[in-house]
């Protein structure tokens, strides 16, 4: 077992920069997921750790050893390939035994020098690993006689058998069907807990990343965007890329400008969303990225273009009827929070365990619009705050989102037991201000508004 | 990567066709059946007919002698020595073709600048007819004016080997192309997997690349054997069967018996060659197919 450290590593192919000054420390025994869209450089990073690619610049360490010039076979790593890369002409048993045939290794109960294993020792190890992964009955088969899931397990077995210091996995589940993927996901996590070996796992699937990782490293365009445990990167995205990449559907983002008149707020179209001081940003998160983000951000001041973000599940919705009967104050009482935005239900997608309601955001302030129009008798659905409404603000067209009447849409998620509003109904959206995220429009970096609040308000 | 694809097991259970479907199927097959009938099956039939007849010494008439001619011709010294020469020719040319094709292909299978030029050079003999390449070879090794001056073609002990050199050289382009195509079909990640397993370049080649090239080698062995058994133009250009009959292969003998009085003899030898070639191919298939790795996934 060993840590893996990338220190300012860059990989260029001619003019193309695949990995751009990446520094990442993977701790010993950690399951680190490299997450990003295809072509972001995550696989290149993995291949540089494996030694299949040379780093153009920077230092790669496995444990304390600099491995830039070490051949792959002497790095003591194993890799699981996306296409499994099983030898088609060899049986499962010989596939698994392959690293044992090639490498010298430490032997249980023996101190000191590494050596090649004897035939019986190899057989024992292969049988142990086969038992661990439920492959005993398949040892005599050729890979062509295996299902996708079985091939996947053989590939895992081949990686495990040599007991390397680090496992590298390159989208190992992407060729499996959805059901098998979920199952294998669990198996890899179990395996990690049992073996305790460092795993670096590349995927473009954010669900895999969130469910499996000890920590996630988000990568875009060859640059590391944020590193942190799943909850901290989900709850406190360091920038817009991370905010939009994680979560299904992605975080809703709406463009606006900072206003400091009457307390800190964001003006979106004709509406001002106030940003009350919150303890939010003082919660634990990855200090390093947060510091970096704040450093490049500068001051929050009047007129600064920003992006307001909020996740679907943090939104609550109140239907038009209630608003008609009472006022936004009534709604506020019901939800416990100040109204955020008003909009019209564009359409509703029923998914069984939940519904996704797409709300087109209007320009008027909450309550100012004629709540009655467009909401027919049956559409006056009272969605009260007592219901655990999972609301989604869809990203929609966030470009030009601050123009009144533009088609910014927000998705709101409702639980299965909640009644969905009809299309055309006017609804008001609420959210706990602690769940509002603020990003700089120009740089995309997270803005921590509470720390700037005093400065902004005192002027 | 396959040069032939073995039918998947599931299709071996035949589906019954309706009358109309069968009719359409046969209609589609008709053109190729006609071509084969005219250019292959009828000549074969005519050849058998001829093999059963013996001409008089002027070639003006022939009579039916049945299979007696087979036993006399096939046991004759001429046939047997021709067969031996042909077999030797195959034994010389096939392994060299495989090895040389592999060496060239492996060295050209790199992502190097300008490698295309070498690939083109290696491939050039494919576009050259046997007669032309034989003439070039003849000049190359000419004892007086050649670049590699040697008397090999005039020495009965070495002449056959000498002629086979020209075949080896002429086959080089084909072997190179086929092996290179095979190499390029070996998935990169298999080589990378072997790299990470810990095998060095040479063992990667032995453990992964070579087994995956086996269909390519089967193809080359069969094709080169057939080429070897049928070698003719080289011999005509280089030695005309000499010196002292040392390069009289079966095909050369067959050609020499295309005189009116020997037609029946030539026909029998042709059939003999056909059977020998077919048997060789069949044996190669049956032995090698069990060891060949088709396709991968």
């Amino acid at each position: 077992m060993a840590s893996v450290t990338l220190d300012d590593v860059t990989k260029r192919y001619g003019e193309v920069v695949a990995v751009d000054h990446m520094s990442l420390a993977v701790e010993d025994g950690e399951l680190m997921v490299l997450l990003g869209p295809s072509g972001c450089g995550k696989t290149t990073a993995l291949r540089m750790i494996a030694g299949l690619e040379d780093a153009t610049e920077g230092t790669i360490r496995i444990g304390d050893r600099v491995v830039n010039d070490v051949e792959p076979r002497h790095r003591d790593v194993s890799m699981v390939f996306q296409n499994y890369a099983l030898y088609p002409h060899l049986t499962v048993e010989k596939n698994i035994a392959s690293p044992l045939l090639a490498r010298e290794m430490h032997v249980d109960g023996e101190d000191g020098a590494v050596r090649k294993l004897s035939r019986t020792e190899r057989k024992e190890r292969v049988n142990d690993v086969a038992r661990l992964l439920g492959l005993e009955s398949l040892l005599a088969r050729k890979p062509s006689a295996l299902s996708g899931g079985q091939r996947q397990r053989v590939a895992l077995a081949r990686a495990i058998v040599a007991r390397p210091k680090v496992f590298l996995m390159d989208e190992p589940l992407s060729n499996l069907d959805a059901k098998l993927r979920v199952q294998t996901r669990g198996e890899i996590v179990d395996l990690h807990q049992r073996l305790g070996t460092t795993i670096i796992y590349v995927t473009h699937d954010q669900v895999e990343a969130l469910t499996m990782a000890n920590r996630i490293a988000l990568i875009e365009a060859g640059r590391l965007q944020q590193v942190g445990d799943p909850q901290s990167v989900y709850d406190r995205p360091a920038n817009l890329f991370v905010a939009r990449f994680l979560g299904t559907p992605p975080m809703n983002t709406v463009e606006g400008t900072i206003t400091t008149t009457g307390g800190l707020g964001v003006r979106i179209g004709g509406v001002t969303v106030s940003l009350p001081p919150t303890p939010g940003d003082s919660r634990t998160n990855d200090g390093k990225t947060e510091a970096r983000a704040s450093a490049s951000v500068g001051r929050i001041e009047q007129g600064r273009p920003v992006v307001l973000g909020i996740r679907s599940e943090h939104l609550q919705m109140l239907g038009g009827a209630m608003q008609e009967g009472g006022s936004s104050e009534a709604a506020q009482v019901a939800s416990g929070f100040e109204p955020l935005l008003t909009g019209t239900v564009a359409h509703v997608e029923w998914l069984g365990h939940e519904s996704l309601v797409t709300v087109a955001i209007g320009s008027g302030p909450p309550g100012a619009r004629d709540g009655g129009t467009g909401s027919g008798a049956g559409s006056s659905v009272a969605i009260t705050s007592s219901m655990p409404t999972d609301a989604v603000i869809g990203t929609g067209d966030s470009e030009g989102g601050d123009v009144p009447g533009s088609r910014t849409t927000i998705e709101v998620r409702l639980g299965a037991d909640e009644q969905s509003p009809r299309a055309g109904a006017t609804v008001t959206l609420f959210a706990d201000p602690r769940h509002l995220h603020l990003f700089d429009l120009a740089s995309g970096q997270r803005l921590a508004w509470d720390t700037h609040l005093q400065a902004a308000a005192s002027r | 990567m396959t040069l032939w694809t073995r039918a998947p097991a599931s299709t071996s259970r035949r589906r019954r066709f309706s009358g109309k479907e069968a009719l359409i199927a046969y209609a589609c097959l008709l053109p190729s059946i006609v071509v084969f009938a005219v250019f292959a099956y009828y000549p074969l039939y005519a050849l058998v007919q001829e093999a059963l007849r013996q001409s008089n010494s002027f070639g003006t008439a022939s009579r039916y002698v049945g299979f007696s001619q087979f036993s006399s011709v096939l046991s004759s010294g001429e046939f047997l020595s021709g067969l031996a020469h042909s077999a030797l020719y195959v034994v010389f040319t096939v392994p060299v073709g495989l090895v040389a094709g592999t060496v060239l292909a492996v060295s050209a299978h790199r992502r190097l600048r300008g490698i295309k030029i070498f690939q083109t050079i290696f491939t050039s003999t494919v576009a050259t007819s046997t007669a032309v390449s034989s003439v070039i070879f003849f000049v190359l090794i000419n004892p007086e004016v050649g670049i590699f001056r040697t008397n090999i073609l005039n020495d009965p002990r070495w002449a056959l080997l000498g002629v086979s050199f020209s075949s080896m050289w002429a086959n080089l382009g084909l072997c190179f192309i086929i092996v290179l195509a095979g190499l390029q079909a070996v998935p990169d990640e298999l080589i990378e997997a072997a790299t990470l397993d810990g095998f060095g370049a040479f063992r990667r080649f032995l453990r992964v690349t070579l087994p995956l090239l086996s269909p390519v080698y089967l193809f080359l062995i069969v094709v080169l054997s057939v080429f070897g058994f049928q070698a003719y133009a080289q011999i005509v250009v280089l030695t005309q069967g000499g010196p002292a009959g040392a390069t009289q292969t079966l095909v050369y003998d067959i050609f020499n018996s295309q005189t009116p009085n020997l037609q029946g003899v030539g026909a029998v030898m042709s059939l003999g060659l056909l059977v020998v070639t077919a048997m060789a191919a069949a044996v190669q298939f049956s032995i090698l197919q069990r060891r060949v790795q088709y396709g991968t996934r």
Side-chain angles (χ1 to χ4, degrees):
Chain A
M1 273 162 279
S3 61
V4 176
T5 316
L6 302 187
D7 192 5
D8 208 21
V9 171
T10 296
K11 175 69 183 180
R12 277 189 217 99
Y13 298 99
E15 296 286 290
V16 182
V17 181
V19 174
D20 193 358
H21 297 283
M22 188 178 291
S23 293
L24 178 66
V26 182
E27 283 161 26
D28 189 3
E30 184 174 39
L31 201 169
M32 170 69 85
V33 172
L34 308 186
L35 175 66
S38 50
C40 73
K42 56 193 190 297
T43 295
T44 307
L46 192 78
R47 291 171 60 86
M48 284 193 287
I49 297 168
L52 296 173
E53 308 276 351
D54 291 327
T56 315
E57 287 166 24
T59 314
I60 300 170
R61 282 192 195 81
I62 295 175
D64 297 327
R65 186 164 68 134
V66 175
V67 295
N68 286 49
D69 297 322
V70 177
E71 274 187 67
R73 57 178 164 158
H74 296 133
R75 292 191 183 195
D76 207 1
V77 300
S78 288
M79 187 155 166
V80 179
F81 291 82
Q82 185 171 0
N83 300 324
Y84 318 132
L86 301 180
Y87 308 121
H89 55 293
L90 299 179
T91 60
V92 168
E93 182 174 13
K94 287 185 173 166
N95 261 286
I96 299 175
S98 186
L100 302 181
L101 212 59
R103 293 187 193 183
E104 300 187 321
M105 54 192 65
H106 290 284
V107 181
D108 292 335
E110 283 181 27
D111 292 337
V114 292
R115 63 169 174 86
K116 291 257 172 90
L117 299 182
S118 71
R119 178 181 283 267
T120 41
E121 284 170 326
R122 289 203 300 267
K123 198 153 183 80
E124 246 170 62
R125 282 244 192 147
V126 169
N127 287 339
D128 287 349
V129 172
R131 205 172 307 121
L132 183 70
L133 289 165
L135 293 168
E136 300 109 307
S137 59
L138 307 175
L139 286 176
R141 291 207 203 162
K142 294 268 181 76
S144 56
L146 302 180
S147 70
Q150 289 167 338
R151 288 179 205 189
Q152 170 62 51
R153 286 217 292 281
V154 175
L156 275 176
R158 186 175 62 182
I160 291 168
V161 76
R163 301 177 193 167
K165 285 181 183 153
V166 181
F167 292 133
L168 306 173
M169 303 193 181
D170 185 8
E171 311 223 11
L173 306 184
S174 59
N175 284 356
L176 300 180
D177 64 54
K179 199 172 170 189
L180 207 53
R181 203 178 305 158
V182 173
Q183 185 193 330
T184 313
R185 211 161 72 193
E187 285 173 7
I188 291 178
V189 171
D190 285 349
L191 211 57
H192 175 240
Q193 278 161 4
R194 200 171 335 179
L195 302 175
T197 309
T198 312
I199 299 183
I200 302 179
Y201 184 107
V202 162
T203 183
H204 62 267
D205 183 339
Q206 47 132 345
V207 178
E208 264 173 40
L210 292 170
T211 51
M212 297 175 72
N214 295 134
R215 283 196 301 158
I216 300 175
L218 282 114
I219 300 168
E220 193 202 27
R223 287 169 179 271
L224 194 59
Q225 304 291 324
Q226 187 175 8
V227 185
D229 63 83
Q231 195 178 354
S232 76
V233 293
Y234 186 84
D235 286 346
R236 318 209 50 76
N239 56 36
L240 270 176
F241 165 76
V242 176
R244 286 171 176 160
F245 196 80
L246 291 175
T248 316
M251 182 186 282
N252 296 297
T253 49
V254 188
E255 285 181 30
T257 49
I258 290 285
T259 170
T260 49
T261 327
L264 188 62
V266 180
R267 249 188 119 58
I268 298 166
V271 196
T272 300
V273 175
S274 63
L275 299 174
T278 71
D281 275 29
S282 57
R283 277 186 295 178
T284 359
N285 63 71
D286 191 272
K288 202 172 165 190
T289 46
E290 185 66 26
R292 194 198 297 161
S294 303
S296 66
V297 156
R299 304 181 70 84
I300 294 181
E301 56 201 6
Q302 176 81 32
R304 178 172 190 155
V306 293
V307 176
L308 188 69
I310 183 151
R311 292 209 181 273
S312 58
E313 62 268 33
H314 295 140
L315 272 172
Q316 298 177 1
M317 186 164 77
L318 272 159
M322 178 164 285
Q323 217 173 298
E324 241 180 307
S327 64
S328 58
E329 286 81 52
Q332 183 184 346
V333 170
S335 77
F337 301 116
E338 279 195 59
L340 196 65
L341 291 163
T342 309
T344 313
V345 173
H347 56 263
V348 179
E349 290 171 48
W350 186 78
L351 298 170
H353 65 292
E354 64 182 26
S355 302
L356 288 179
V357 181
T358 304
V359 178
I361 300 304
S363 54
R369 284 161 64 98
D370 180 3
T373 53
S375 55
S379 71
S380 311
V381 182
I383 300 157
T384 68
S385 63
S386 62
M387 298 179 180
T389 307
D390 283 333
V392 187
I393 299 190
T395 48
D397 315 313
S398 56
E399 300 89 356
D402 60 343
V403 180
S406 73
R407 283 179 294 129
T408 300
T409 59
I410 282 179
E411 276 176 77
V412 180
R413 195 189 294 167
L414 302 180
D417 52 341
E418 294 173 77
Q419 205 178 350
S420 305
R422 280 211 189 145
T426 302
V427 292
T428 306
L429 303 175
F430 300 85
D432 184 337
R434 282 179 307 165
H435 293 309
L436 294 176
H437 304 265
L438 203 58
F439 303 95
D440 182 40
L441 179 65
S443 67
Q445 296 294 341
R446 176 183 195 83
L447 297 173
W449 76 79
D450 53 342
T451 55
H452 294 263
L453 185 65
Q454 278 85 20
S458 65
R459 277 193 294 160
Chain B
M1 193 283 315
T2 48
L3 289 158
W4 303 280
T5 45
R6 205 162 25 179
S10 59
T11 57
S12 64
R13 214 185 300 143
R14 277 186 201 160
R15 195 165 76 82
R16 284 177 196 282
F17 291 104
S18 72
K20 196 181 167 192
E21 280 177 328
L23 205 64
I24 293 171
Y26 285 122
C28 291
L29 285 173
L30 195 62
S32 60
I33 290 176
V34 169
V35 168
F36 269 91
V38 172
F39 294 103
Y41 301 139
Y42 175 72
L44 186 61
Y45 168 78
L47 191 68
V48 172
Q49 290 301 312
E50 221 162 83
L52 299 173
R53 303 183 75 82
Q54 197 171 44
S55 307
N56 64 17
S57 42
F58 302 105
T60 49
S62 64
R63 64 191 172 93
Y64 181 82
V65 292
F67 287 96
S68 67
Q69 186 160 242
F70 278 71
S71 52
S72 64
V73 170
L74 295 183
S75 62
S76 69
E78 192 190 12
F79 177 81
L80 291 176
S81 84
L83 183 61
H85 288 152
S86 287
L88 265 180
Y89 200 84
V90 169
V91 169
F92 291 153
T93 52
V94 174
V96 172
L98 299 185
V99 173
T102 305
V103 169
L104 285 187
V106 167
S107 41
H109 183 52
R110 308 251 165 102
R111 293 180 192 97
L112 296 178
R113 196 181 289 262
I115 197 69
K116 285 260 188 278
I117 296 168
F118 287 98
Q119 293 183 352
T120 310
I121 292 172
F122 295 160
T123 315
S124 61
T125 56
V126 173
T128 316
S129 80
T130 314
V132 172
S133 69
S134 300
V135 169
I136 297 174
F137 188 75
F138 188 66
V139 174
L140 273 182
I141 65 165
N142 186 290
E144 274 97 45
V145 300
I147 296 174
F148 312 102
R149 289 175 197 179
T150 164
N151 237 340
I152 192 170
L153 294 180
N154 297 324
D155 186 335
R157 286 168 301 173
W158 298 105
L160 190 67
L161 185 66
V163 176
S164 73
F165 280 142
S166 81
S167 270
M168 294 169 193
W169 179 58
N171 287 342
L172 213 53
L174 176 76
C175 298
F176 166 72
I177 290 181
I178 301 282
V179 178
L180 184 66
L183 277 181
Q184 283 167 347
V186 173
D188 284 345
E189 69 263 22
L190 280 187
I191 304 298
E192 291 174 352
T195 308
L196 281 166
D197 279 354
F199 294 105
F202 187 63
R203 289 181 82 191
R204 287 200 293 273
F205 186 76
L206 288 186
R207 275 184 64 88
V208 183
T209 312
L210 270 188
L212 294 179
L213 286 179
S214 52
V216 164
Y217 288 131
L218 174 58
F219 173 79
L220 276 182
I221 287 171
V222 172
V223 167
L224 292 181
S225 299
V226 172
F227 282 2
F229 277 120
Q230 296 183 344
Y232 174 70
Q234 300 92 316
I235 291 158
V236 171
V237 171
L238 295 174
T239 63
Q240 292 84 45
T247 58
Q248 282 191 8
T249 60
L250 204 44
V251 176
Y252 198 77
D253 286 343
I254 292 168
F255 186 77
N256 281 346
S257 39
Q258 293 311 303
T259 53
N261 60 329
L262 291 174
Q263 278 202 348
V265 174
V268 172
M269 288 202 278
S270 298
L271 286 173
L273 175 63
L274 175 69
V275 170
V276 168
T277 312
M279 269 171 32
V283 168
Q284 287 159 355
F285 262 103
S286 65
I287 293 177
L288 294 171
Q289 190 136 47
R290 267 176 280 141
R291 304 184 58 91
V292 162
Q293 305 299 325
Y294 285 100
T296 47
R297 303 187 186 132

